[in-house]
């Protein structure tokens, strides 16, 4: 079984969505961890948009990367440029590091429809990335 860390700035939205999809697609092939270089709590809009696709992340917690320093990761995936550029040292020497920046839907302002569409767009992109990652790296 592989250990996969998904890292974002606040561990509230993009990393939480990736956590849900990776757990769904990887099943017993990997243990999925998500963390932030800060913790902002799980975004309720992320929970809602994932629920629409049948993925329940309502019990997820927002965790700081420092909580996982003792875990030997096989993969460390950063899902935003800020975390990629500011990530503290993680002592998993053999981890394959992958970076894929997704725009932050929680930063979108405007109507409820515009905000919903931003979350939906991020969900579609993250789902595709996670499906491809599992097929390429865990199968």
């Amino acid at each position: 079984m592989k250990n996969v860390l998904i890292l974002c700035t606040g561990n509230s939205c993009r990393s939480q969505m990736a956590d849900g999809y990776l757990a769904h697609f990887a099943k017993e092939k990997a243990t999925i961890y998500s963390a932030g270089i800060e913790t902002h709590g799980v975004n309720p809009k992320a929970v809602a948009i994932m629920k629409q696709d049948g993925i329940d992340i309502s019990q997820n917690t927002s965790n700081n990367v420092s909580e996982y320093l003792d875990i030997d990761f096989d993969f460390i995936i950063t899902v935003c440029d800020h975390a990629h550029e500011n990530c503290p040292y993680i002592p998993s020497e053999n981890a394959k590091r992958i970076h894929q920046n997704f725009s932050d839907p929680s930063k979108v302002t405007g109507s409820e429809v515009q905000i919903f569409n931003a979350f939906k767009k991020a969900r579609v992109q993250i789902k595709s990335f996670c499906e491809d990652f599992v097929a390429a790296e865990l199968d």
Side-chain angles (χ1 to χ4, degrees), residues 6 10 29 34 43 54 61 70 72 79-80 94 113 119 131 136 139:
I6 306 130
K29 297 174 190 170
S34 68
N43 187 302
T61 57
D70 293 337
D72 188 24
V79 294
C80 72
N94 297 318
V113 170
F119 273 86
E131 204 166 15
D139 278 347

Side-chain angles (χ1 to χ4, degrees), residues 39-60:
T39 56
H40 297 167
V42 181
N43 187 302
K45 288 183 169 73
V47 173
I49 202 75
M50 292 297 287
K51 186 175 182 179
Q52 287 186 352
D53 199 31
I55 305 292
D56 183 6
I57 61 169
S58 64
Q59 300 304 306
N60 287 21

Side-chain angles (χ1 to χ4, degrees), residues 95-136:
K96 182 174 182 179
R97 295 171 191 265
I98 299 168
H99 174 63
Q100 177 64 54
N101 185 56
F102 298 103
S103 61
D104 187 352
S106 70
K107 301 288 187 215
V108 172
T109 58
S111 70
E112 285 299 314
V113 170
Q114 289 169 313
I115 294 168
F116 171 83
N117 287 338
F119 273 86
K120 187 175 180 182
K121 179 181 177 184
R123 183 188 72 193
V124 167
Q125 292 172 343
I126 291 168
K127 181 179 184 177
S128 176
F129 170 83
C130 292
E131 204 166 15
D132 292 346
F133 169 81
V134 169

Side-chain angles (χ1 to χ4, degrees), residues 2-123:
K2 303 289 184 183
N3 287 324
V4 179
L5 173 64
I6 306 130
L7 187 62
C8 199
T9 300
N11 194 220
S12 67
C13 195
R14 294 164 287 183
S15 53
Q16 295 291 346
M17 288 192 272
D19 178 297
Y21 280 126
L22 286 174
H24 173 74
F25 293 128
K27 300 197 183 342
E28 73 285 343
K29 297 174 190 170
T31 301
I32 311 301
Y33 300 85
S34 68
I37 56 177
E38 305 165 6
T39 56
H40 297 167
V42 181
N43 187 302
K45 288 183 169 73
V47 173
I49 202 75
M50 292 297 287
K51 186 175 182 179
Q52 287 186 352
D53 199 31
I55 305 292
D56 183 6
I57 61 169
S58 64
Q59 300 304 306
N60 287 21
T61 57
S62 185
N63 298 62
N64 189 284
V65 67
S66 64
E67 297 173 45
Y68 299 134
L69 296 179
D70 293 337
I71 297 171
D72 188 24
F73 290 104
D74 298 286
F75 298 94
I76 298 172
I77 303 169
T78 49
V79 294
C80 72
D81 287 341
H82 184 261
H84 180 65
E85 295 162 4
N86 296 286
C87 179
Y89 174 73
I90 300 171
S92 291
E93 294 177 16
N94 297 318
K96 182 174 182 179
R97 295 171 191 265
I98 299 168
H99 174 63
Q100 177 64 54
N101 185 56
F102 298 103
S103 61
D104 187 352
S106 70
K107 301 288 187 215
V108 172
T109 58
S111 70
E112 285 299 314
V113 170
Q114 289 169 313
I115 294 168
F116 171 83
N117 287 338
F119 273 86
K120 187 175 180 182
K121 179 181 177 184
R123 183 188 72 193

